[in-house]
Amino acid sequence: MFAPIIITWLFCISSIGIYNIFRWNPYIYKGLSPFYIYKFFKVTQRNGWESLGGAVLCITGAEAMFADLGHFSQKSIKLAFISAVYPSLILTYMGQAAFLTQNKHVIEWHFYKSIPRPVFWPVFVAATLAAMVGSQAIISATFSIVKQCSSLGCFPHVKIIHTSRNIIGQIYVPEMNWILMILCLSVTIGFRSTTLIGHAYGLAVITVMFVTTCLMTLVIIVVWRKNLLLGLLFFFFFGSIEIVYASSCLVKVHEGGWVPLVLALIFMLIMYIWNYGIRKKYEFDIQNQVSMKWLLTLGPSLGVVRVRGMGLIYTELVSGVPSVFSHFVTNLPAFHQIVVFVSIRSIPVPHVQPTERFLLGRIGPKEYRIYRCVVRYGYKDVHETDVNFEDQLVLNMGEFIKNEAKSSASSAASEDSADDRMMVVRTSSHPAVKMVAMVSEIHQDGDRNHSGFQKNIETQNSGSCLNQFQPQRSVRRKQVRFELPESSQMDLSVKEELRELIQAKDAGVAYIMGHSYIKASGSSSLVKKLAINIGFNFLRRNCRGPAVALSIPHTSLIEVGMVYYV
């Protein structure tokens, strides 16, 4: 509905503008001359300068379409503005000026008074609908900005819903939608005057324009690598115009203009505190990574008892060993025989093929049985449940071990404790690990019959699904186990490693996540202590946690608490 409404609205205002030009003053086109700017200020002087705060409202709203780059392409926005929006605005303001030259007594309601009576109510309805669409453009732009800030680590985590399978920028953020609604209602109920709201809106828009000019100057000089003089000319030409408008709006700060300044200060404070805390936490993780030398000195047993089972350690780092691992090993006397460092990554494509989802590597020599896995999801992919994820991980790890053994170069590199060799695993038609589905029957009397069904599944790729068994008279529960192919011709060391992998999976999988608490060090300043101990920790406790934690069963989750002193 948005496009037809806006097209109707632009057609209405441009048609009414043309009507008023020919009816009231056909020579109004002369007002396009810059000479009248000079004449205006010469006559009005200080009053004319103060009126610029209201004149800036004539262009507010037109800039919102440029903030919707996440929803539309650059070419479509340029075409719409040059061919439709800009001409319509020029025609409607020329028509209003022509109307006012002959009707100065109705200046306050001149727009609605200039509409011919037969079409007044249709235009009124179109104006109301266009106002709704205009507000939606601001809301959509806010969603895009919040998502970009969150991706850069400058805003707390929020829930982001992608509403399109084809356009990554079309999103919906429920939390921000509620915040915007509350703020809009608060401003409207608090001011109860369109004049005061206009002062606040005008100052907000002209400030955004000036900030955009400053950032565009940096783009010209730093990103495009143009001449410094060209960037400065751009800044002084557009910046001087915007500063004149901004100075007029600043005079009315006490008349409503303080609202955007206070809101900007609050959001800037939240963004700075969050970014500062995230940056300090990341620096701590990088500086306290477990060195490979320390890992090798522990030996294959890692200095503890290696018990049966598989431990999946979730980390944000895609290289190195996180400090949570050393914290766990040094404080507990036992660890799993198979250790996998798992990192979940979202990439800017709708879907990732199952055959390209897992990126696997090895940490340290083979006998350490330590692996790294980067799992990649598209923004429309649904994260797998814990059972499916474990099965697919084991299948892909089996293929990784088999493929690694085939390549002599990879095999040699793995002996040198390399941590920089990762490979995308694609399951072949002859998988290294065969998946067997068993369905247990649970009769009404509670007895189980494990010999009821057994089916081998030939896995064509890592995204294959298990056959679904439809229960008839008894309740059937699907189970999965793994076994080595009977006729496989593999090296004995590869077979042994695959056998250990299957045994670890059968023994159980534990999910290990670091639960960090960030505190300012004792020598920190009072401002830093307030920012970290109160501000950042408050935001961290009340914002959305990592999405991966939502799909982990609580019975298999181990949280390792750590205190970061930054």
Side-chain angles (χ1 to χ4, degrees):
M1 296 293 291
F2 284 6
I5 290 173
I6 291 299
I7 292 173
T8 303
W9 170 244
L10 293 177
F11 175 77
C12 287
I13 61 175
S14 57
S15 301
I16 293 171
I18 295 173
Y19 167 80
N20 286 324
I21 289 172
F22 283 99
R23 180 180 178 184
W24 300 106
N25 191 346
Y27 299 101
I28 197 66
Y29 68 89
K30 294 181 180 180
L32 296 173
S33 171
F35 169 74
Y36 286 95
I37 299 177
Y38 164 76
K39 187 176 180 180
F40 173 78
F41 285 112
K42 183 179 179 180
V43 173
T44 58
Q45 297 182 356
R46 180 180 174 84
N47 291 333
W49 169 72
E50 291 181 352
S51 68
L52 291 178
V56 74
L57 297 176
C58 294
I59 55 174
T60 55
E63 86 289 344
M65 63 185 304
F66 292 97
D68 287 331
L69 275 172
H71 294 246
F72 306 97
S73 64
Q74 294 184 24
K75 186 179 294 185
S76 63
I77 291 178
K78 290 177 181 177
L79 182 64
F81 187 79
I82 294 173
S83 63
V85 177
Y86 186 71
S88 298
L89 290 176
I90 293 296
L91 289 173
T92 188
Y93 288 132
M94 289 175 63
Q96 291 178 40
F99 176 79
L100 285 173
T101 57
Q102 306 296 329
N103 302 275
K104 298 183 178 64
H105 58 283
V106 292
I107 190 169
E108 289 191 4
W109 300 97
H110 64 277
F111 173 72
Y112 289 107
K113 293 291 184 181
S114 65
I115 300 174
R117 285 187 174 276
V119 296
F120 176 83
W121 288 110
V123 172
F124 182 83
V125 172
T128 305
L129 295 176
M132 296 178 184
V133 176
S135 66
Q136 182 61 42
I138 298 293
I139 295 170
S140 300
T142 304
F143 293 164
S144 299
I145 293 172
V146 168
K147 179 181 180 297
Q148 293 163 15
C149 290
S150 182
S151 300
L152 294 172
C154 297
F155 200 83
H157 300 302
V158 293
K159 182 178 182 180
I160 297 175
I161 301 173
H162 291 268
T163 59
S164 172
R165 292 183 177 272
N166 301 318
I167 303 176
I168 186 174
Q170 291 190 3
I171 58 174
Y172 170 66
V173 184
E175 290 92 338
M176 291 308 302
N177 202 42
W178 282 98
I179 291 174
L180 288 174
M181 185 197 74
I182 293 171
L183 290 177
C184 287
L185 290 176
S186 301
V187 170
T188 305
I189 296 173
F191 281 151
R192 300 182 182 180
S193 169
T194 55
T195 302
L196 297 178
I197 295 177
H199 294 164
Y201 191 33
L203 180 60
V205 169
I206 200 62
T207 304
V208 168
M209 289 183 176
F210 182 70
V211 171
T212 303
T213 299
C214 296
L215 295 177
M216 192 64 206
T217 304
L218 293 177
V219 170
I220 292 174
I221 299 173
V222 179
V223 180
W224 295 350
R225 299 184 182 277
K226 299 294 183 181
N227 194 322
L228 176 64
L229 181 61
L230 179 64
L232 294 177
L233 286 175
F234 173 86
F235 174 77
F236 285 115
F237 178 76
F238 289 100
S240 59
I241 298 173
E242 290 160 355
I243 286 176
V244 173
Y245 279 97
S247 61
S248 174
C249 294
L250 287 172
V251 175
K252 300 172 182 177
V253 168
H254 62 287
E255 298 179 5
W258 58 270
V259 172
L261 297 178
V262 171
L263 291 176
L265 181 63
I266 293 173
F267 280 104
M268 186 178 69
L269 193 63
I270 292 173
M271 293 171 66
Y272 179 78
I273 291 175
W274 181 261
N275 177 258
Y276 182 76
I278 290 293
R279 193 171 69 249
K280 287 297 181 181
K281 180 180 179 297
Y282 183 77
E283 291 174 359
F284 183 91
D285 287 334
I286 293 296
Q287 294 171 1
N288 292 273
Q289 285 185 107
V290 177
S291 65
M292 190 58 62
K293 182 179 180 180
W294 178 83
L295 194 65
L296 293 175
T297 57
L298 297 178
S301 66
L302 301 179
V304 295
V305 178
R306 301 293 290 270
V307 298
R308 293 184 62 185
M310 180 183 295
L312 306 183
I313 303 176
Y314 282 87
T315 174
E316 295 181 359
L317 301 177
V318 293
S319 63
V321 179
S323 57
V324 65
F325 178 70
S326 63
H327 187 71
F328 194 101
V329 171
T330 54
N331 287 278
L332 291 176
F335 208 76
H336 303 85
Q337 68 182 109
I338 301 291
V339 179
V340 185
F341 294 99
V342 180
S343 179
I344 306 294
R345 286 288 179 267
S346 295
I347 57 179
V349 296
H351 297 282
V352 176
Q353 294 297 326
T355 54
E356 300 179 352
R357 176 157 295 156
F358 290 86
L359 189 64
L360 285 160
R362 187 188 295 275
I363 299 177
K366 282 187 176 181
E367 57 268 19
Y368 280 60
R369 302 295 191 257
I370 303 178
Y371 308 87
R372 180 184 306 284
C373 177
V374 179
V375 188
R376 300 175 293 184
Y377 288 98
Y379 59 84
K380 290 295 288 183
D381 282 331
V382 178
H383 289 213
E384 296 168 304
T385 61
D386 58 296
V387 176
N388 290 334
F389 175 76
E390 293 169 9
D391 296 341
Q392 296 302 323
L393 177 61
V394 171
L395 282 175
N396 283 273
M397 287 180 65
E399 286 301 308
F400 166 75
I401 294 170
K402 184 184 74 172
N403 295 338
E404 184 189 39
K406 288 182 179 179
S407 173
S408 59
S410 298
S411 178
S414 63
E415 296 294 335
D416 295 332
S417 67
D419 186 31
D420 56 351
R421 301 183 66 87
M422 305 281 289
M423 67 172 64
V424 177
V425 178
R426 294 180 174 86
T427 308
S428 63
S429 57
H430 301 285
V433 179
K434 186 167 61 175
M435 186 188 295
V436 178
M438 297 186 64
V439 177
S440 301
E441 288 193 7
I442 304 178
H443 297 284
Q444 294 180 355
D445 57 0
D447 295 333
R448 292 184 180 181
N449 179 12
H450 291 279
S451 61
F453 294 88
Q454 179 169 332
K455 183 177 179 64
N456 290 342
I457 296 177
E458 299 296 334
T459 309
Q460 300 298 327
N461 53 58
S462 62
S464 299
C465 299
L466 299 179
N467 288 353
Q468 302 292 329
F469 296 93
Q470 298 297 333
Q472 297 177 354
R473 296 182 179 178
S474 59
V475 180
R476 299 174 182 177
R477 186 174 62 186
K478 182 175 62 179
Q479 295 178 337
V480 173
R481 66 179 177 86
F482 295 89
E483 63 182 27
L484 293 177
E486 297 177 357
S487 60
S488 62
Q489 297 179 351
M490 297 181 185
D491 186 73
L492 291 178
S493 62
V494 176
K495 274 191 174 183
E496 180 63 26
E497 189 171 0
L498 291 174
R499 190 174 290 110
E500 287 189 24
L501 176 64
I502 294 173
Q503 291 174 354
K505 172 63 172 66
D506 293 339
V509 179
Y511 298 80
I512 302 167
M513 296 186 67
H515 195 76
S516 58
Y517 298 89
I518 301 178
K519 292 185 178 181
S521 58
S523 59
S524 302
S525 63
L526 178 62
V527 175
K528 183 177 179 180
K529 289 181 179 178
L530 291 174
I532 295 295
N533 297 346
I534 298 178
F536 179 77
N537 285 319
F538 174 81
L539 293 174
R540 186 185 60 82
R541 286 193 303 267
N542 291 280
C543 76
R544 188 172 294 270
V548 65
L550 300 177
S551 58
I552 296 177
H554 293 290
T555 55
S556 304
L557 177 62
I558 302 174
E559 288 191 297
V560 181
M562 290 187 65
V563 179
Y564 292 6
Y565 286 98
V566 297

